[in-house]
C-alpha cells in the first residue's frame, strides 16, 4: 500500500492545480517508478516458490478459456464502474481526490488481480500450487489422470 500512496499524494497535489510543468512531469516519473516497483513486487510474491512455464498458457486457454473470458468481463465492468462511473459522479473539480482514493485501492487491487490471473495461466497443469485452490490446476477430464500412491 505504501507504493500506491506515492501516486495518491501526487494526484492530490498536482491534479487540477496550477503546478509548474517540470514539477508535474517529475512527479509523474516518480509515480511511474513506484507503479513499476509495485508490479515487480506483486509478481515476485505471486510466483514465489511456484513452478511455471510459458508453454502452460496454451493448456490454460484450451481448458479454462471460460475463466479468462469471465475475468476479462469482470475487469471491464470494474473499469466502467470504478473509473468512468466514479469520475462522472464526482466531476472534474474533485477528480484529484478521487484519484487519491483510487490509487491505493482500485489500481493496486487490479494489479494483484492481473498477477493472480498470470499465475493461474502460467502454472496451469502443474498440480496444486502453494496459495492457490487445487481446482484451478486440475485437468477438466479427471478420468484421464491416474493417481499413484
Amino acid at each position: 500500500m505504501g507504493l500506491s500512496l506515492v501516486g495518491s499524494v501526487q494526484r492530490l497535489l498536482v491534479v487540477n492545480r496550477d503546478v509548474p510543468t517540470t514539477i508535474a512531469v517529475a512527479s509523474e516519473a516518480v509515480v511511474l517508478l513506484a507503479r513499476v516497483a509495485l508490479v515487480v513486487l506483486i509478481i515476485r510474491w505471486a510466483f514465489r516458490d511456484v513452478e511455471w512455464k510459458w508453454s502452460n498458457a496454451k493448456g490454460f486457454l484450451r481448458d479454462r478459456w471460460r475463466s479468462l473470458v469471465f475475468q476479462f468481463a469482470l475487469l471491464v465492468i470494474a473499469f466502467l464502474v470504478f473509473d468512468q462511473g466514479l469520475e462522472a459522479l464526482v466531476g472534474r473539480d474533485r477528480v484529484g481526490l478521487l484519484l487519491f482514493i483510487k490509487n491505493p485501492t482500485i489500481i493496486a487491487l487490479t494489479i494483484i488481480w492481473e498477477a493472480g490471473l498470470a499465475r493461474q495461466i502460467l502454472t496451469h497443469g502443474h498440480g496444486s500450487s502453494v496459495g492457490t485452490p487445487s481446482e484451478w490446476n486440475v485437468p477438466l477430464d479427471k478420468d484421464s489422470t491416474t493417481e499413484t500412491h
Side-chain angles (χ1 to χ4, degrees):
M1 178 145 167
L3 288 172
S4 294
L5 287 176
V6 172
S8 292
V9 171
Q10 187 270 352
R11 297 301 190 256
L12 191 60
L13 296 176
V14 173
V15 173
N16 290 340
R17 296 183 189 240
D18 190 22
V19 176
T21 304
T22 53
I23 292 175
V25 171
S27 66
E28 282 294 333
V30 171
V31 170
L32 177 64
L33 290 173
R35 287 220 177 116
V36 168
L38 180 65
V39 169
V40 168
L41 283 172
I42 290 172
I43 289 173
R44 288 187 70 191
W45 289 333
F47 286 91
R48 183 178 39 198
D49 301 326
V50 174
E51 185 179 335
W52 64 274
K53 294 181 187 176
W54 289 108
S55 59
N56 293 337
K58 184 177 179 182
F60 182 88
L61 292 173
R62 182 188 63 242
D63 298 339
R64 303 284 185 215
W65 65 270
R66 288 178 201 89
S67 170
L68 189 60
V69 169
F70 180 71
Q71 290 190 49
F72 180 74
L74 284 177
L75 190 59
V76 167
I77 291 167
F79 169 76
L80 291 173
V81 170
F82 295 112
D83 191 62
Q84 303 299 308
L86 287 179
E87 284 185 23
L89 184 65
V90 170
R92 296 303 304 165
D93 58 330
R94 298 173 116 188
V95 77
L97 179 61
L98 177 62
L99 293 173
F100 176 80
I101 295 168
K102 283 173 50 175
N103 268 281
T105 56
I106 296 165
I107 293 171
L109 291 174
T110 301
I111 294 169
I112 292 168
W113 184 359
E114 291 169 348
L117 178 60
R119 179 180 165 134
Q120 287 180 41
I121 292 170
L122 298 175
T123 62
H124 181 71
H126 278 276
S128 179
S129 300
V130 176
T132 60
S134 60
E135 65 268 11
W136 288 352
N137 296 317
V138 175
L140 288 176
D141 184 14
K142 292 181 182 180
D143 295 334
S144 66
T145 61
T146 56
E147 292 184 22
T148 56
H149 296 290

